[in-house]
């Protein structure tokens, strides 16, 4: 529960050497405003009346209409793009930006706001087959410096994105929170939207939304142009493929007495084996919410049991009963690793802590961390994560290494949503190709369980 208090009025702060985190001071009254951005223009919007009551839905609507009327001009610099740059580069640019007092005040207003609401312009229409992927890209990066990327402050912990065309989503900064936490907030918000508490608006005059201004010096302009170029290159390099597997969902897997997440992880390993002929170092994020201020640990999903199953699926001589037995062993192996990680018995965070402590105390980094086998085993070519939500949605993020993949998934009762990303600059990886292999691996596992397991998928 401690993590929820850190979601609001918090922000990542850039620095020349390292970043820091801005959190609301304990014991003090929290901020009573949010920031809203439209057409690259930021506004401070008070969300509480002078008597301390929160604004009603009608009041918020009227205030947003005012912001819309104040932000018609399209010739503004997309200053928010600065926050997308490399952390070291942004740290240098932030130092330059903060030389001006007006910029200090405007930036601090954004950083200390409860959260940010991004009112986006419509995005280009695409075929139905690519709608999910285009929407995911829009939420992740805004589409580029000449699209909606300037409507972001990427350091802000929580940003709600609403497009004129009805698209909506959430962007969050992982320095402060993990994906499952955000999914819980989304579920709560959407549940409230279904049955909002309608109250009469009080007869209290509202403050006009306050527009935030920035002084764009030649130095800031130079940094901004560089950031725009870097962002557009990065966006063009990122390939995103989202899809829904609707033959079965988590209910069917539970009926087989199998942990759904473990089955999906085995499927991802099988898909990578199909695509590249081998397994690879794989990181799955596990939540440490059982611990006070716990964040996350890594589950290493590429195991010898998974390799044996993948090889059996590629061996035409191997019979279905044996394959099913190996599948269950692989799932059981992953389930054991999951429980160990959830109980704080993973290895990666402990090792990272020892390494960072040695560096902080001025000791030589232990030889273990310099060993080539450790380096290779921690080069995460496949970054994965389950972000389970009751909402029919999907989270996406980019790969951890240039020649790697990232796969996020949301297992729902009757289907599973996937988002796969890779970089176009790498000839060895292809998001669409891996997505196709994931779909094939899901079909193989579904058929195996349906024909020889304890039940039938609904749509097999």
């Amino acid at each position: 529960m401690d993590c929820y208090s850190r979601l609001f009025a918090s922000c990542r702060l850039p620095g020349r050497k390292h970043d820091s985190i801005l959190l609301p001071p304990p014991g003090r009254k929290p901020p009573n405003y949010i920031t809203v951005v439209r057409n690259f223009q930021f506004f401070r919007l008070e969300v509480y009346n002078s008597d301390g009551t929160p604004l009603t839905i009608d009041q918020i609507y009227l205030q947003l209409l005012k912001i819309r009327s104040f932000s018609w001009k399209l010739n503004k610099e997309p200053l928010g793009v600065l926050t997308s740059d490399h952390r070291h580069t942004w740290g240098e640019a932030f130092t330059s930006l903060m030389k001006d007092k007006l910029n200090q005040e405007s930036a601090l207003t954004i950083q200390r706001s409860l959260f940010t609401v991004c009112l986006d312009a419509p995005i280009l229409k695409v075929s139905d087959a690519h709608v999910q992927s285009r929407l995911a890209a829009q939420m992740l990066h805004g589409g580029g410096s000449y699209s909606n990327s300037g409507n972001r402050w990427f350091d802000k912990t929580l940003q709600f994105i609403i497009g004129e065309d009805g698209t909506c989503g959430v962007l969050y900064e992982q320095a402060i929170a993990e994906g499952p936490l955000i999914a819980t907030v989304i579920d709560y918000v959407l549940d409230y939207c279904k049955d909002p508490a309608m109250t009469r608006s009080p007869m209290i005059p509202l403050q006009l939304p306050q527009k935030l201004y920035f002084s764009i010096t030649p130095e800031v302009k130079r940094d901004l142009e560089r950031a725009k170029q870097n962002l557009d290159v990065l966006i063009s390099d990122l390939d995103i493929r989202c899809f829904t597997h609707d033959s079965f969902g988590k209910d069917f897997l539970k009926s087989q007495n199998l942990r759904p997440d473990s089955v999906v992880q085995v499927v991802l390993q099988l898909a990578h084996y199909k695509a590249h002929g081998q397994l690879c170092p794989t990181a799955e994020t596990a939540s440490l919410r059982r611990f006070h201020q716990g964040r996350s640990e890594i589950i290493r999903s590429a195991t010898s049991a998974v390799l044996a199953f993948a090889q059996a699926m590629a061996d035409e001589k191997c019979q279905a009963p044996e394959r099913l037995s190996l599948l269950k062993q692989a799932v059981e192996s992953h389930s054991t690793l999951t429980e160990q990680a959830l109980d704080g018995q993973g290895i990666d965070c402990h090792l990272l802590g020892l390494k960072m402590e040695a560096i902080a105390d001025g000791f030589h980094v232990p030889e273990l961390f310099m060993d080539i086998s450790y380096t290779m085993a921690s080069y995460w070519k496949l970054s994965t994560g389950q972000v389970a939500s009751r909402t029919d949605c999907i989270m996406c993020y980019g790969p951890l290494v240039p020649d790697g993949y990232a796969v996020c998934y949301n297992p729902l009762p009757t289907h599973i949503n996937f988002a796969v990303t890779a970089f176009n600059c790498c000839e060895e990886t292809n998001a669409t190709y891996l997505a196709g292999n994931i779909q094939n691996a899901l079909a193989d596992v579904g058929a195996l369980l349906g024909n020889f397991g304890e039940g039938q998928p609904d749509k097999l």
Side-chain angles (χ1 to χ4, degrees):
M1 294 300 292
D2 178 73
C3 294
Y4 286 97
S5 64
R6 299 159 61 94
L7 280 179
F8 303 97
S10 59
C11 192
R12 181 172 179 169
L13 299 179
R16 284 186 167 180
K17 292 186 177 180
H18 58 80
D19 289 354
S20 57
I21 293 175
L22 175 69
L23 296 172
R28 291 190 184 180
K29 184 179 179 180
N32 57 2
Y33 69 92
I34 65 173
T35 45
V36 181
V37 54
R38 179 175 183 267
N39 287 336
F40 312 155
Q41 299 162 70
F42 289 84
F43 296 83
R44 170 175 172 153
L45 174 59
E46 304 290 334
V47 290
Y48 286 86
N49 290 298
S50 57
D51 62 358
T53 59
L55 265 60
T56 65
I57 293 174
D58 290 339
Q59 287 178 311
I60 293 175
Y61 174 69
L62 290 174
Q63 293 292 72
L64 291 177
L65 284 180
K66 291 176 184 176
I67 289 176
R68 187 168 180 261
S69 67
F70 295 160
S71 57
W72 281 112
K73 291 184 178 180
L74 303 176
N75 60 345
K76 302 300 180 181
E77 289 286 0
L79 193 73
V81 171
L82 275 176
T83 65
S84 70
D85 215 350
H86 186 277
R87 298 311 303 179
H88 174 75
T89 309
W90 168 220
E92 296 284 350
F94 184 73
T95 301
S96 299
L97 187 68
M98 292 300 101
K99 292 178 181 178
D100 186 277
K101 185 176 181 180
L102 177 66
N103 294 343
Q104 291 179 22
E105 294 174 351
S106 295
L108 192 58
T109 298
I110 296 171
Q111 293 164 345
R112 287 183 171 173
S113 63
L114 291 169
F115 54 83
T116 297
V117 174
C118 311
L119 302 179
D120 279 5
I123 60 176
L124 294 176
K125 292 185 178 181
V126 294
S127 63
D128 291 344
H130 295 94
V131 167
Q132 282 183 303
S133 302
R134 173 60 66 87
L135 292 180
Q138 178 70 10
M139 300 306 147
L140 183 61
H141 51 61
S145 62
Y146 293 98
S147 184
N148 290 304
S149 296
N151 280 356
R152 307 286 186 272
W153 195 270
F154 287 101
D155 290 348
K156 193 64 186 157
T157 305
L158 202 55
Q159 299 187 86
F160 293 93
I161 302 166
I162 303 150
E164 289 185 19
D165 51 7
T167 58
C168 61
V170 176
L171 177 67
Y172 81 99
E173 163 56 51
Q174 198 175 13
I176 294 174
E178 315 299 339
L181 197 69
I182 307 301
T184 301
V185 171
I186 292 173
D187 286 339
Y188 177 85
V189 169
L190 293 179
D191 285 345
Y192 180 86
C193 290
K194 293 175 184 176
D195 186 23
M198 303 299 293
T199 57
R200 184 185 298 273
S201 299
M203 300 300 292
I204 300 176
L206 297 175
Q207 297 183 40
L208 283 175
Q210 176 190 349
K211 189 170 184 177
L212 306 180
Y213 292 92
F214 289 91
S215 175
I216 310 296
T217 64
E219 187 178 10
V220 172
K221 175 68 174 176
R222 182 200 64 203
D223 293 336
L224 180 56
E225 290 302 316
R226 179 177 56 194
K228 288 161 66 175
Q229 293 176 10
N230 292 341
L231 175 62
D232 291 339
V233 169
L234 185 61
I235 287 175
S236 64
D237 191 31
L238 184 65
D239 184 21
I240 301 178
R241 176 73 172 92
C242 298
F243 68 93
T244 298
H245 178 75
D246 57 7
S247 293
F248 60 84
K250 64 180 181 181
D251 284 356
F252 169 70
L253 298 177
K254 288 179 179 179
S255 73
Q256 302 288 305
N257 295 316
L258 299 173
R259 184 195 292 257
D261 176 64
S262 295
V263 175
V264 174
Q265 283 293 320
V266 172
V267 165
L268 295 182
Q269 295 299 315
L270 176 59
H272 192 278
Y273 190 89
K274 285 174 174 284
H276 299 285
Q278 60 183 0
L279 303 186
C280 68
T282 304
E284 180 191 4
T285 304
S287 172
L288 294 181
R289 61 179 179 270
R290 294 178 183 177
F291 299 90
H292 178 58
Q293 294 186 349
R295 290 297 302 273
S296 63
E297 178 57 277
I298 288 176
I299 303 170
R300 291 176 173 261
S301 301
T303 63
S304 56
V306 172
L307 178 60
F309 170 66
Q311 291 173 335
M313 293 299 289
D315 184 0
E316 296 181 355
K317 297 180 181 179
C318 188
Q319 300 298 309
E322 182 181 355
R323 290 176 173 176
L324 179 62
S325 175
L326 291 172
L327 168 63
K328 292 184 175 180
Q329 291 177 36
V331 170
E332 182 62 29
S333 174
H334 181 271
S335 297
T336 300
L337 291 175
T338 299
E339 286 302 321
Q340 290 175 350
L342 295 177
D343 284 337
Q345 300 301 311
I347 64 171
D348 288 279
C349 283
H350 290 86
L351 289 174
L352 176 61
L354 291 172
K355 178 181 178 180
M356 299 307 295
E357 187 67 25
I359 294 173
D361 291 344
F363 296 122
H364 290 294
V365 175
E367 293 183 4
L368 166 67
F369 300 103
M370 311 304 293
D371 192 284
I372 186 64
S373 60
Y374 177 81
T375 302
M376 293 179 63
S378 302
Y379 188 80
W380 307 117
K381 281 196 170 186
L382 186 55
S383 171
T384 69
Q386 171 185 257
V387 181
S389 170
R390 289 184 284 106
T391 304
D392 194 357
C393 63
I394 184 62
M395 182 177 289
C396 70
Y397 46 85
L400 294 179
V401 295
D403 55 345
Y405 295 100
V407 182
C408 192
Y409 50 94
N410 179 14
L412 292 154
T414 60
H415 61 278
I416 308 173
N417 294 332
F418 286 88
V420 183
T421 61
F423 291 116
N424 292 317
C425 64
C426 179
E427 296 181 356
E428 299 175 7
T429 58
N430 184 292
T432 301
Y433 181 59
L434 182 64
N437 279 282
I438 293 174
Q439 290 171 306
N440 292 335
L442 285 164
D444 291 345
V445 169
L448 203 58
L449 293 173
N451 291 329
F452 300 96
E454 301 176 14
Q456 295 284 336
D458 293 336
K459 304 177 183 178
L460 196 64

